[in-house]
Amino acid sequence: MGFTAVWISPVNQNIPGPTAYGDPYHGYWIADISQLNDRFGTADDLRQLSDELHRRDMYLMVDVVVNNVASTTTTPDYSQYLFKDSSYYHPYCQVDYNNRTSAQVCWLGDTKVALPDLDTENQVVVSTYNQWVSQFVQGFGIDGLRIDAAKHVRADFWGPFCDAAGVFCIGEVFGDDIDLAASYQGPTTLDAILNFPQYSALKDAFAIPGPGNMSSLVDQFNLARKKFTDVGVLGNFLENHDLPRWTSFSVDIQSMFNAMAFNFMSDGIPVLYYGQEQRFNGAGDPVNREPLWPSQYDQGDAYKFMAMLNQVRNYLNQSGDWLHQPAQIISHTDDALFLARGYVITVLTNIGSPPNLNSSASMIGSGFSANQVMIDVVTCQQVIVGSQGSIYIDYRKGGHASILVPEYYIRGSDICTAVQRASYQGLTPQKSATSANSATAPARMSPLPLASAMALLVGTVVSWAVAAV
């Protein structure tokens, strides 16, 4: 499918099952973090996975759980953990999620599966974790870390931890609070976070049924560029193991395709949760963590769309400076959005799949000259820029995403080759008419500087899986 990195579940030792919620198949119920989970394989297996990915010029990202361990009681036997004395843990208390202090010192989970909270102010805990993560990363050739429950640890713990790891660190800061999320990105904390505020805005904009609130997405997009240190390395996603599958609440496949195109063509690192290419529809834990193999790895429309997005993004990354160009929303209406990044314009809609003879999206001021031939790499059809840089997309066949690239830029590539070889004969170009919806022409995108420590995984697409036993 064209992925350049793989993010896998935590590989560290888990508590034994079964519990009141079944076995710890997912890898997040940590016992001794310094040991591997033998249900997932051996140390040699993990090294072989790392080696094989690197041989394919791919990266390995591993999930780690640092905030807590796991127990089936609130009075655990601490001898089973790396930190073997209760003094290394915060005393048991139930979390008040409306209180930041409580969220950082109280225990997640419940009384059936409690998650004893490490005292990450304790210098023994800090130094031991830093030593462990350095050895873990170096010992297995790990290229990046996804950090579970990052917001439940003080933000400045993560700076020295990630320095010790020496690799890209992206953390989970669950929820819509953009100020809290942004406080976990920067030189003294994490390199990046998974962009939950954007996920919520994408649901508001594209889910069917849903509010169809495109303005919410525009507002969040603009606010993020004021709040975050570097939006270029945030993790863009539509699904993960803690959320309902997109298809469980949005019935129209084009709603997913349009939202996904936004994630791939905007700033940030696209993240695909395994099974989304199969349109899995589990509504929540644990049915959103279904095994992949019963799907027979079907290569249907969703699979093909995601492979196309990977192909286009990888080509753009490798053939110029597109990756370092900041995205701009240059026009939007209640049901359409025009996103410019470098020389690519992405046109998205929330009208859904049914054909609509009276529906279209249009704008002027694209920044391209009249008669410029653009190729919609989603449909492999021409779109010709009209006067005043106008662009027009026809939705008579339904509300598909459009990704417009100048024809000369992809000429000779593997993108839409059948169309190129035929010199577009037999196709009906979409002539872009002047629109009444004016917009300011985008600047030609100044380069976005990136810290070298972040550059390793920038532009990669991450696919990951919750392991099952």
Side-chain angles (χ1 to χ4, degrees):
M1 292 181 71
F3 291 103
T4 55
V6 175
W7 157 16
I8 63 174
S9 304
V11 296
N12 313 99
Q13 185 188 75
N14 274 219
I15 61 173
T19 72
Y21 302 113
D23 287 302
Y25 62 91
H26 41 67
Y28 290 90
W29 291 343
I30 299 298
D32 186 343
I33 198 171
S34 69
Q35 305 298 313
L36 294 182
N37 187 340
D38 58 11
R39 291 190 174 190
F40 288 3
T42 66
D44 287 342
D45 292 330
L46 183 56
R47 291 190 189 96
Q48 183 178 0
L49 173 62
S50 176
D51 290 344
E52 286 297 321
L53 287 170
H54 294 155
R55 189 172 64 84
R56 292 167 169 79
D57 294 323
M58 297 175 69
Y59 298 115
L60 173 63
M61 176 177 281
V62 179
D63 210 319
V64 293
V65 182
V66 173
N67 174 68
N68 55 264
V69 291
S71 173
T72 55
T73 174
T74 57
T75 57
D77 174 9
Y78 290 101
S79 66
Q80 65 184 304
Y81 307 125
L82 173 62
F83 299 97
K84 301 184 183 300
D85 189 88
S86 62
S87 64
Y88 298 127
Y89 301 81
H90 292 126
Y92 173 75
C93 54
Q94 293 182 330
V95 174
D96 175 0
Y97 288 97
N98 295 316
N99 182 292
R100 287 292 304 129
T101 300
S102 174
Q104 292 187 351
V105 302
C106 290
W107 294 20
L108 302 177
D110 55 26
T111 56
K112 295 178 181 178
V113 177
L115 303 179
D117 194 87
L118 267 298
D119 180 1
T120 49
E121 293 78 31
N122 185 305
Q123 288 306 303
V124 173
V125 173
V126 172
S127 61
T128 301
Y129 262 144
N130 290 350
Q131 181 180 19
W132 166 77
V133 75
S134 176
Q135 295 172 347
F136 179 63
V137 166
Q138 293 180 36
F140 294 105
I142 294 166
D143 303 300
L145 299 175
R146 182 269 187 182
I147 297 173
D148 188 61
K151 75 174 186 179
H152 295 284
V153 177
R154 57 187 172 87
D156 60 0
F157 169 86
W158 296 118
F161 180 85
C162 294
D163 287 343
V167 296
F168 180 80
C169 291
I170 187 169
E172 177 197 29
V173 182
F174 195 102
D176 296 340
D177 187 337
I178 195 168
D179 289 306
L180 177 61
S183 73
Y184 277 84
Q185 186 190 35
T188 62
T189 182
L190 297 167
D191 297 323
I193 58 99
L194 292 157
N195 200 342
F196 279 88
Q198 179 170 287
Y199 161 76
S200 297
L202 287 167
K203 281 182 61 181
D204 287 347
F206 292 109
I208 299 174
N213 190 348
M214 201 70 83
S215 294
S216 173
L217 177 59
V218 174
D219 291 345
Q220 192 283 330
F221 177 93
N222 292 328
L223 185 60
R225 277 133 194 85
K226 298 177 182 178
K227 297 287 187 178
F228 286 105
T229 302
D230 185 356
V231 293
V233 292
L234 302 182
N236 301 341
F237 65 93
L238 294 183
E239 294 184 355
N240 69 32
H241 64 295
D242 291 322
L243 297 171
R245 296 278 191 177
W246 184 274
T247 304
S248 74
F249 58 78
S250 187
V251 299
D252 192 298
I253 192 170
Q254 289 297 342
S255 77
M256 183 175 76
F257 287 175
N258 277 271
M260 187 170 293
F262 183 94
N263 278 349
F264 273 71
M265 302 312 295
S266 184
D267 303 306
I269 303 172
V271 180
L272 181 74
Y273 181 45
Y274 83 96
Q276 192 169 4
E277 79 285 0
Q278 304 298 333
R279 300 193 70 202
F280 283 174
N281 60 4
D285 177 6
V287 293
N288 60 347
R289 303 174 176 182
E290 54 268 70
L292 180 60
W293 48 90
S295 72
Q296 301 297 310
Y297 311 106
D298 180 62
Q299 297 185 16
D301 289 343
Y303 178 101
K304 292 173 183 176
F305 185 81
M306 296 169 199
M308 178 275 299
L309 289 176
N310 270 339
Q311 180 192 26
V312 171
R313 185 180 168 96
N314 289 339
Y315 177 79
L316 295 174
N317 288 347
Q318 295 163 8
S319 58
D321 197 41
W322 178 85
L323 178 65
H324 296 162
Q325 308 299 321
Q328 300 179 41
I329 294 176
I330 54 176
S331 181
H332 78 280
T333 64
D334 290 342
D335 55 20
L337 181 148
F338 288 76
L339 178 76
R341 188 175 184 188
Y343 40 81
V344 180
I345 292 183
T346 301
V347 188
L348 306 171
T349 182
N350 56 16
I351 66 172
S353 298
N356 190 326
L357 297 179
N358 300 313
S359 186
S360 62
S362 58
M363 65 163 291
I364 63 173
S366 67
F368 290 99
S369 301
N371 297 316
Q372 170 67 55
V373 177
M374 309 289 282
I375 303 302
D376 181 350
V377 297
V378 177
T379 64
C380 288
Q381 290 193 2
Q382 289 184 14
V383 173
I384 300 176
V385 178
S387 62
Q388 302 181 66
S390 60
I391 291 177
Y392 173 85
I393 302 295
D394 189 335
Y395 293 134
R396 286 179 293 179
K397 294 184 179 180
H400 62 85
S402 293
I403 300 173
L404 309 180
V405 184
E407 183 275 334
Y408 64 83
Y409 199 82
I410 61 172
R411 190 182 301 155
S413 74
D414 291 333
I415 298 172
C416 295
T417 53
V419 178
Q420 293 174 34
R421 288 171 184 164
S423 299
Y424 311 105
Q425 294 176 6
L427 296 177
T428 302
Q430 295 189 34
K431 179 68 175 181
S432 294
T434 301
S435 167
N437 298 323
S438 63
T440 303
R444 286 298 88 195
M445 316 298 186
S446 60
L448 179 66
L450 293 169
S452 59
M454 298 183 185
L456 178 63
L457 288 178
V458 168
T460 68
V461 183
V462 181
S463 177
W464 72 283
V466 172
V469 295

